[in-house]
Amino acid sequence: MAEEKEQKQAERNIPGMMNRGQRFAEVQHAENIKGTLKRISVYFIKEKAMVLGMLAIVIFGTLCGVLAPSLQSGVIDIIAKSRAGNLIMMIVFMSAVYLLYSVGQLLQGLVSARLSQRIVQQMREEFFGKLMDLPVRYLDTHSHGDVMSRMTNDIENISTTVSQSLPSLFSGVLTIIGTVSIMLWYCWQLALLSFATVFLTVFVTKVLSKRVRKFSRRRQMLLGQLNGTVEEMVSGYHTVVAYNHQDITADEFCKTSDLLTRAGIKTDIFSGVMGPIMNCIGNIGFVIIAAFGGYFSLKGLISVGVISAFIVYAKQFSRPINEIAQVYGQLQTAVAGAERVFMVLDEEIEDKKGEVLEKTDNAAVTFKNVQFSYEPGHTVLHDFTLTVPSGKKVALVGATGSGKTTVVNLLMRFYDIDSGEIFVNHQNLKDISRDDMRKNTAIVLQDTVLFSDTIKNNLKYGREEAGIDEIKAAADMSRCKEMIEMLPQGYETVLTGSGENISQGQRQLLAIARAFVANPKILILDEATSNVDTRTEKAIQDAMHLVMQNRTSIVIAHRLSTIRDADIIVVMDHGKIVESGAHDTLLSQKGKYYELYMTQYAGMAI
């Protein structure tokens, strides 16, 4: 108990554990084994033909395994001349049964491996499909490494269990039933003496399996935490190195790794010790059979061949019990992993039902008395009211945390508002299908996201039907055509590592070109030129000025030089609009916008 308290205290002391770790607490205490097994059985029902085939092979192999020692007993009795019969025919028959038993084991392994891969394929596809439909809020509030761990480690544990553990469990149960029946038929007195060790086996299994289940859940929780740490370190490696945070990051990793190692060691110890303990109990059974079997033989109750068969049957009886005891630990790990997978599958998906955005060239956007908070009690937008006229360029400026990006998140319906209304033309945004709204909107983020695919496919990501001429025109307008044509395969160049083989500025240009190809009604630019040089920025501004003509545009900018030509500049502060108007008008008012402008361009200390 003291060691467990020390481990839990160590978990609380890991930096970030109370933030990310709280999300795993529910996994640690989840014990709905019956419900989880019921849900897993659904996947087996879908593959019922293969399951029935595997069961048939298991039953056939088990019958051969149970029949073989009986034939061996007959051979021994014939040799000992305590039974009449054809020795050659009996040996041939016994050999054939043992051969069929081996073939059954081989087929069992092949079918179970195929079954496990089919089931895991279903689960992976369902899990990945679920991820594609989850709200943005879910992935914003959950460790990406933990989500990936559920997709890989937890599902792989299920695969291992299906391919290795379940066949052993089925054959083990059938072997026990067949073996017990024949032992009782041969000599019920000796059989009952042999079964005395079963009670000890059940007791030991119950005690050890409880510990295995506890530590396997903790191991899966810590594995997700460890993957989250690695994912954050890899994605933010430049920041880690730039701030000399290597040692602190390594310490955090090592602390989590130490906890994982402890949990893993304890899980392996309690699951691994079952085998030796079961073998010890099995050896006790052999002693009982040898002693009492010899006594019963002298009394004439059984023959020497029956004693030989009993020894084999006792081994067959104890072997599946040992396997079941060991499999139980693997089943606990698989159930713990399945619980974590089903937790994601049970998350609510985005509601994509709704109206189609009306087909018109106009796209006026109106925010009316909008209230929004990411977390209850921490309001981000307060009574936010704004009209973006159709075909006009509206710029949002303000200090970091003023709510600019939140406005975009609400318009894209990444999040839903708490109260108020948002309209696109005369349609309420909540009534418009999310899919249709996003098809008519293109967004260029400050953090550029490209995919490991060709440049051409990346550019047509927002409109699959776009032709090569449209793609080249968009690349020309975004000033990246020459850059693309200088690459080895031009538009067919594959971006590796999501664009790591080109510069950040080049990735930004491609993201802008991608938005141009989409040809949307509404264009959103979130600090879209933050990673390009001043000369390129001016060229892009000229190009965007043409693209944004007669198109509703919302621009988030920190560089005020990029939005001087905006039709309306909206100044935000703490989730509220404090000023709005044209550039010259706002400067003449000498308010918040004037302060921001002078801070950037006049060196004025505010």
Side-chain angles (χ1 to χ4, degrees):
M1 289 297 293
E3 186 178 354
E4 291 180 16
K5 289 181 178 178
E6 180 184 347
Q7 178 164 334
K8 291 180 180 178
Q9 182 63 39
E11 290 177 3
R12 288 193 289 269
N13 290 336
I14 295 179
M17 192 70 173
M18 289 305 293
N19 293 328
R20 297 190 295 263
Q22 284 176 344
R23 293 192 289 269
F24 303 125
E26 54 185 338
V27 177
Q28 185 176 0
H29 298 292
E31 295 184 357
N32 188 14
I33 297 176
K34 183 177 179 181
T36 302
L37 291 176
K38 185 177 180 180
R39 292 188 63 173
I40 293 175
S41 67
V42 174
Y43 295 93
F44 286 91
I45 293 174
K46 293 179 181 178
E47 300 291 340
K48 57 183 178 181
M50 193 172 295
V51 171
L52 292 175
M54 187 183 73
L55 286 176
I57 294 172
V58 169
I59 293 172
F60 176 77
T62 302
L63 289 175
C64 291
V66 171
L67 179 61
S70 180
L71 297 175
Q72 177 181 311
S73 171
V75 170
I76 292 175
D77 283 342
I78 291 174
I79 294 175
K81 301 190 183 299
S82 59
R83 174 181 173 180
N86 189 323
L87 179 63
I88 302 299
M89 289 296 296
M90 187 68 73
I91 291 176
V92 171
F93 189 33
M94 179 184 69
S95 300
V97 170
Y98 271 118
L99 178 61
L100 290 174
Y101 173 72
S102 300
V103 171
Q105 293 292 306
L106 175 62
L107 292 176
Q108 176 181 310
L110 293 175
V111 174
S112 62
R114 183 173 177 80
L115 175 63
S116 71
Q117 292 306 312
R118 292 281 292 271
I119 289 176
V120 166
Q121 180 186 14
Q122 294 179 39
M123 194 169 289
R124 281 200 184 106
E125 290 176 354
E126 187 176 344
F127 189 95
F128 191 78
K130 183 75 175 188
L131 286 182
M132 295 299 98
D133 291 330
L134 285 175
V136 173
R137 182 189 292 272
Y138 180 86
L139 293 177
D140 281 349
T141 55
H142 287 74
S143 166
H144 295 176
D146 177 63
V147 173
M148 290 188 289
S149 178
R150 297 177 194 230
M151 177 75 175
T152 54
N153 297 322
D154 292 334
I155 292 182
E156 189 59 35
N157 284 335
I158 297 171
S159 173
T160 302
T161 301
V162 173
S163 63
Q164 299 178 8
S165 304
L166 288 183
S168 298
L169 182 63
F170 292 151
S171 62
V173 171
L174 293 175
T175 299
I176 290 173
I177 294 173
T179 301
V180 167
S181 301
I182 291 184
M183 290 174 73
L184 289 172
W185 180 68
Y186 269 132
C187 181
W188 64 267
Q189 299 94 331
L190 187 57
L192 292 179
L193 289 170
S194 301
F195 299 156
T197 57
V198 174
F199 298 103
L200 182 59
T201 300
V202 171
F203 174 76
V204 172
T205 302
K206 184 176 180 180
V207 172
L208 293 179
S209 62
K210 184 178 180 181
R211 307 291 290 181
V212 169
R213 181 168 59 187
K214 173 183 177 181
F215 289 111
S216 66
R217 285 199 304 270
R218 181 175 297 176
R219 179 172 65 180
Q220 293 304 110
M221 179 269 291
L222 289 169
L223 186 59
Q225 167 68 20
L226 196 70
N227 284 338
T229 301
V230 173
E231 189 269 340
E232 288 179 353
M233 188 280 294
V234 173
S235 61
Y237 184 70
H238 290 86
T239 303
V240 173
V241 174
Y243 284 92
N244 288 321
H245 235 256
Q246 297 97 314
D247 292 340
I248 296 175
T249 303
D251 288 342
E252 178 181 347
F253 177 86
C254 289
K255 287 178 181 178
T256 309
S257 181
D258 288 343
L259 295 174
L260 176 60
T261 301
R262 289 190 206 174
I265 289 174
K266 289 181 179 179
T267 303
D268 292 340
I269 286 176
F270 286 112
S271 60
V273 78
M274 286 185 180
I277 291 178
M278 296 303 114
N279 287 333
C280 179
I281 296 174
N283 291 334
I284 294 174
F286 290 151
V287 172
I288 292 174
I289 292 173
F292 287 93
Y295 175 77
F296 290 150
S297 178
L298 292 175
K299 292 292 185 179
L301 292 175
I302 56 176
S303 64
V304 176
V306 171
I307 296 176
S308 171
F310 252 88
I311 292 176
V312 177
Y313 281 129
K315 185 177 181 181
Q316 278 192 352
F317 181 67
S318 60
R319 178 180 57 79
I321 292 180
N322 295 346
E323 289 180 353
I324 292 173
Q326 292 176 354
V327 163
Y328 196 80
Q330 296 176 357
L331 286 174
Q332 293 300 326
T333 300
V335 170
E339 284 179 334
R340 286 163 49 80
V341 171
F342 291 142
M343 284 174 63
V344 177
L345 296 181
D346 289 339
E347 289 289 334
E348 291 187 10
I349 64 173
E350 280 191 328
D351 182 7
K352 296 187 178 181
K353 298 178 182 178
E355 305 172 355
V356 175
L357 188 64
E358 60 183 21
K359 294 182 179 180
T360 174
D361 293 334
N362 298 324
V365 178
T366 303
F367 293 82
K368 186 177 180 180
N369 306 120
V370 172
Q371 295 277 130
F372 175 75
S373 57
Y374 290 102
E375 297 179 4
H378 297 83
T379 305
V380 177
L381 292 183
H382 305 264
D383 195 26
F384 184 83
T385 299
L386 172 67
T387 297
V388 183
S390 178
K392 299 297 183 180
K393 175 182 177 181
V394 173
L396 303 179
V397 300
T400 300
S402 59
K404 303 185 299 297
T405 302
T406 299
V407 173
V408 173
N409 287 339
L410 297 180
L411 180 59
M412 295 291 292
R413 291 199 70 186
F414 293 152
Y415 293 84
D416 285 327
I417 60 177
D418 297 335
S419 63
E421 293 174 305
I422 302 176
F423 293 92
V424 179
N425 295 327
H426 301 292
Q427 290 180 275
N428 196 315
L429 185 64
K430 69 179 181 180
D431 297 327
I432 302 173
S433 161
R434 279 182 166 91
D435 283 348
D436 202 61
M437 182 62 193
R438 292 167 187 171
K439 284 178 183 177
N440 288 277
T441 307
I443 184 169
V444 180
L445 299 172
Q446 181 176 359
D447 297 325
T448 305
V449 176
L450 297 175
F451 301 94
S452 298
D453 202 341
T454 64
I455 288 178
K456 182 181 73 175
N457 288 339
N458 269 282
L459 294 184
K460 59 189 288 189
Y461 194 77
R463 191 161 62 94
E464 288 294 326
E465 67 273 14
I468 188 64
D469 292 336
E470 294 176 280
I471 293 173
K472 288 182 178 180
D476 188 28
M477 294 176 66
S478 60
R479 303 302 189 266
C480 61
K481 182 178 180 181
E482 292 183 7
M483 178 269 292
I484 296 174
E485 291 177 347
M486 290 176 61
L487 294 173
Q489 286 81 39
Y491 288 89
E492 297 299 327
T493 300
V494 176
L495 300 178
T496 59
S498 301
E500 290 180 359
N501 52 339
I502 59 177
S503 70
Q504 177 64 36
Q506 291 171 327
R507 291 200 292 270
Q508 194 97 52
L509 292 174
L510 291 178
I512 294 170
R514 179 172 59 192
F516 290 171
V517 172
N519 193 26
K521 290 183 179 180
I522 301 173
L523 180 63
I524 299 172
L525 304 173
D526 186 352
E527 199 63 33
T529 59
S530 60
N531 293 308
V532 298
D533 60 86
T534 306
R535 182 178 180 181
T536 305
E537 179 186 23
K538 179 63 171 63
I540 292 175
Q541 290 296 324
D542 294 340
M544 287 195 299
H545 180 72
L546 296 175
V547 174
M548 287 187 289
Q549 285 183 355
N550 301 320
R551 177 176 283 119
T552 305
S553 304
I554 298 176
V555 180
I556 297 176
H558 293 292
R559 292 191 210 169
L560 301 185
S561 63
T562 63
I563 46 90
R564 293 181 62 172
D565 63 337
D567 297 294
I568 303 173
I569 298 175
V570 177
V571 183
M572 299 183 62
D573 187 34
H574 294 93
K576 297 179 180 179
I577 297 176
V578 294
E579 288 179 338
S580 65
H583 173 74
D584 293 336
T585 302
L586 292 176
L587 283 181
S588 65
Q589 292 177 358
K590 293 191 176 182
K592 191 70 176 180
Y593 182 77
Y594 176 80
E595 292 179 0
L596 292 171
Y597 187 84
M598 295 302 292
T599 300
Q600 286 191 21
Y601 299 106
M604 178 179 174
I606 302 299

